[in-house]
Structure formats: structure tokens, C-alpha cells
Amino acid sequence: VTDLRDCENVIERGLATFFEVGDALGRINEHGLYKVAGYRSFESYCAERWHLSRPRAYQLMSAAKVVQELSTVVDKAVPNEATARELAKLPTAERIEVWREVSETTSTVTAIAVRKTIERRSEERRAEVIPPCAVCGVVLEWPCWHCLNCGTHVAEGDADNTAGNLA
């Protein structure tokens, strides 16, 4: 008979190790410690010693770096590697803002919640930078063929533009 609590403890310990593994790989890479073991490169060390691809090793190191950075400025710890990897896509200042927002607005912080927050914030920034069409409200990142040729989509405040001159 398998005890659920025992299994969950194993899972919990495993989820927490990504930080320790990433941090250790980062130190090995940063200090060239793989050379002491006779490897010519960090990539060959990871592949031969740990069967880790270069991208996977860097994912772990990046996730660990995010956890380390956030641990000094926020109270709630990053719960897992997937969440840390989503946050790693952002510059440090924005990473902190997104983490605080997600932590305050959701009961369970997940990678999906972080990704959705990042996407929403990106859309909000895009809407601020790119004005919607005054005719139909569509936000275009660049004028489409239709806009350039007949002027249907025009910038806010330029609704009289019917020749398609968006420059």
C-alpha cells in the first residue's frame, strides 16, 4: 500500500530541487569548475556527466537566478521551475512587478497565471503605443494591405484620411 503523503513529499522535494540544481550548474559554469573534472566545455560537461542538453542546463540556471533575485525583494517564493521560466523572459524590474501582481491577485500562483499576466500587460502596452483605428477600433501593429490601399483603418484623430496615407 502506497501512502499518498509519502508520494507527495517525494514530489515536493523534487519540485524544489530545480533551484539547487540550477544554482549548482551556474556556479560550475561561472567558475569553470567543469575543467577540474577534465571537460573542455560546460556543454560537454552537462551532456556527458548529467545527460543534460545545453539549453536545458541554461533553463535550470535561469530559473534558479529568477528565484534568487525574487527571494531578496518579495515574500512569496516562486513555487516551481515552470513559473520561474515564465518570469525569466522578463527584465528584472518587470519580473518583480509581474510577480507581485500575480501573487496578490491569484490564490495559487502558476506558470499559466504568470504567462496570462505577461500577455495582458503586453497588450495594454501595445494599445498605449499603437492607437486603434478611428473607424473600426482595430489595433494594428502595422498598416495592413487594405489600410494602405483604401484607407479604411486610420489612426485616432485622423478619421478624415480616406486616401490611405498613414504616414
Side-chain angles (χ1 to χ4, degrees):
V1 175
T2 302
D3 182 30
L4 174 63
R5 185 165 292 143
D6 290 340
C7 292
E8 288 179 339
N9 287 337
V10 169
I11 293 168
E12 196 169 286
R13 282 192 312 270
L15 290 176
T17 61
F18 82 90
F19 170 75
E20 295 165 353
V21 171
D23 185 55
L25 287 169
R27 285 185 282 136
I28 290 168
N29 186 30
E30 182 180 340
H31 299 292
L33 300 176
Y34 54 87
K35 294 174 186 173
V36 174
Y39 295 93
R40 297 180 75 196
S41 69
F42 180 67
E43 183 176 350
S44 64
Y45 169 76
C46 289
E48 294 170 28
R49 176 69 173 95
W50 302 111
H51 305 287
L52 289 173
S53 68
R54 181 182 181 278
R56 180 66 181 132
Y58 278 89
Q59 283 177 337
L60 288 164
M61 291 187 304
S62 178
K65 182 180 175 186
V66 167
V67 170
Q68 180 64 37
E69 284 177 357
L70 290 175
S71 71
T72 62
V73 292
V74 297
D75 294 331
K76 194 171 189 177
V78 178
N80 56 51
E81 181 193 351
T83 304
R85 285 174 47 193
E86 286 297 325
L87 290 163
K89 298 173 185 177
L90 301 170
T92 302
E94 189 175 357
R95 183 181 301 153
I96 293 167
E97 291 174 13
V98 167
W99 181 249
R100 284 185 173 143
E101 182 178 332
V102 173
S103 297
E104 292 169 2
T105 59
T106 60
S107 58
T108 304
V109 177
T110 64
I112 292 170
V114 169
R115 185 178 319 122
K116 286 181 179 181
T117 300
I118 292 168
E119 289 169 358
R120 180 188 49 74
R121 290 168 60 101
S122 178
E123 287 296 320
E124 288 171 359
R125 272 195 309 278
R126 188 174 301 131
E128 291 172 6
V129 174
I130 304 165
C133 171
V135 175
C136 70
V138 171
V139 176
L140 299 170
E141 291 191 33
W142 58 85
C144 65
W145 177 89
H146 191 259
C147 301
L148 290 173
N149 287 288
C150 74
T152 299
H153 292 288
V154 293
E156 185 85 38
D158 194 20
D160 295 333
N161 182 349
T162 56
N165 181 5
L166 298 177

